[in-house]
Amino acid sequence: MPRIVWLLVTARAINRLGAFSLPFLTVLISTDFGASTTTAGVLSAAFGLATIPSRLAGGRLAARLGRRRTIVLGLTGCALAQLGIAAAGSLAAVAVFAILLGLVFELYEPPSQAMIADAVRPAERVRAYSLLNVALAAGGTGAGLIAAGLGRWDLRWLFVVDALTCLACALALRIALPADHRHRPAVRHGEHGEHGEQARPWRDRALWGMFTSGTVFALVYMQIMMALPLTLARRGLEPADAGLLFTASAVTVIAAQPALRLRRLATLSDSAALAFGYTLLAIGLVGYAMAHTLPAFLITTAVWSLGDVLILGRAFSVVAGLAPPGGADRYLAAYGISWGIATVAAPVTATQMLEHAGVAALWAGSASLCLALAAAQLLVVNPLISGKGRTAPAPDTTSGEATPAAETDSRPADRP
């Protein structure tokens, strides 16, 4: 992997070490300020709503200010907002800082993901994004343990430590990343007229297919983050033990990385790999519906985390591959809105399902969505992305191993 990929991976691990506070935002609102579960869900949804313009701004600021400046701005803003939440003395103050956090929360993602996409060959993108996922998981192993410890003492300290890691990450990247320079707008030559035109992600049907499926996946994923502490409480367990479960998930993601090099997995088409991942996710969530002890929750967490291993790297690689040269920022920013939508919806859907239908219904319903995603990926999304020239990867016969996620493009003039 190029040096810039390792820089982003290392910084992401540092940042992830403290990124354990958000799943406990609803718990903080409920316990420290006596708010109802519904109120806590609404305020968390307000945070999620603010992340939507944040993601779009991240793509545009990367083009105007530069990728490094945008990354540093986003991380510094997150730190200040987190400290505001930790110091807030009223529910109104928490709400204000939660919204401010949402407005800067996603600035980091489009420029950092686009840097990775531009730094490696298309055939190596799944490996690169999977490496980023490993960094998140590695930081998450420590994050979960810190959350389990600090959460028993004072939930506010979770936000303080999160802020400190954001500042450390911002400083490291400000020093290490190459200086910014302006990029010309991405153009698809020969495809939209003689002189081409600026790439517009929302006119790409393949991106719409990935965006729709990605939104449903993000909703399920965010429901896990938001509802797991509340689920543990309803099952008579300690909510802070969600930190242990997040650690188990991170360990599983790290341990499962060598499996991505297996020929049978690496040579799967993008849609087949994604459908398999959604199915594993569904199996794990069915386990949550039936679990009543911490060991049972740990086992089912490991199962759905295996699905996570297959999904995240592939999804980002597909989206980056759909973008024209230099257009990865805008494509990844557009795709990332799915997470903002999910962050808005998940606190409301999760808390309402828990309150009116119960734990089993919440997780069984989430599992059903995952199975529907697997079917839709194969029947609906696959024809769209196949039409853009993405095919199943070919085995690397020189090394004896499969080359993960190699991709071909039917428009060679569009690739550098």
Side-chain angles (χ1 to χ4, degrees), residues 106-414:
E106 296 287 348
L107 294 182
Y108 175 97
E109 298 296 343
S112 63
Q113 292 167 358
M115 279 183 170
I116 291 176
D118 290 349
V120 300
R121 294 183 296 110
E124 296 174 339
R125 283 176 182 157
V126 170
R127 286 183 58 204
Y129 285 122
S130 294
L131 189 60
L132 189 64
N133 198 26
V134 169
L136 294 174
T141 58
L145 296 175
I146 294 172
L150 290 179
R152 284 178 167 81
W153 179 30
D154 189 339
L155 290 175
R156 291 174 183 264
W157 280 103
L158 298 177
F159 294 89
V160 173
V161 176
D162 199 346
L164 294 177
T165 59
C166 283
L167 290 175
C169 187
L171 179 61
L173 291 179
R174 175 62 180 83
I175 295 172
L177 287 179
D180 292 316
H181 60 276
R182 294 184 178 275
H183 299 273
R184 296 181 63 184
V187 173
R188 289 185 183 271
H189 294 288
E191 184 175 348
H192 299 292
E194 183 179 354
H195 302 290
E197 67 177 42
Q198 183 175 344
R200 292 182 171 85
W202 297 119
R203 294 188 179 183
D204 192 326
R205 293 179 62 195
L207 179 66
W208 269 107
M210 288 298 297
F211 172 78
T212 303
S213 62
T215 300
V216 179
F217 165 69
L219 174 64
V220 172
Y221 195 93
M222 291 307 299
Q223 283 190 157
I224 296 173
M225 298 296 105
M226 298 293 179
L228 192 51
L230 298 172
T231 296
L232 293 178
R234 287 176 177 248
R235 289 282 164 89
L237 302 173
E238 176 62 50
D241 284 340
L244 297 177
L245 299 180
F246 296 143
T247 298
S249 174
V251 170
T252 302
V253 168
I254 295 172
Q257 289 303 308
L260 294 176
R261 301 290 293 172
L262 295 176
R263 185 179 300 272
R264 289 188 177 181
L265 286 180
T267 56
L268 286 175
S269 68
D270 292 319
S271 290
L274 289 170
F276 186 25
Y278 294 140
T279 302
L280 289 175
L281 188 59
I283 295 171
L285 297 183
V286 168
Y288 275 173
M290 299 184 294
H292 286 81
T293 65
L294 188 59
F297 276 102
L298 285 168
I299 293 171
T300 54
T301 296
V303 173
W304 71 254
S305 298
L306 292 174
D308 185 31
V309 171
L310 292 172
I311 295 168
L312 286 179
R314 289 272 186 164
F316 285 123
S317 177
V318 170
V319 173
L322 296 176
D329 302 80
R330 296 193 65 186
Y331 265 67
L332 289 164
Y335 175 73
I337 294 176
S338 60
W339 290 91
I341 295 172
T343 308
V344 174
V348 177
T349 57
T351 54
Q352 290 301 305
M353 285 290 289
L354 282 174
E355 199 159 303
H356 298 291
V359 170
L362 168 65
W363 298 115
S366 299
S368 298
L369 281 178
C370 292
L371 292 177
L373 269 180
Q377 184 69 42
L378 295 173
L379 300 176
V380 180
V381 182
N382 183 58
L384 295 175
I385 62 176
S386 296
K388 296 297 292 280
R390 293 189 62 90
T391 63
D396 183 357
T397 56
T398 61
S399 65
E401 289 185 306
T403 302
E407 67 182 66
T408 60
D409 198 305
S410 59
R411 298 175 290 105
D414 284 350

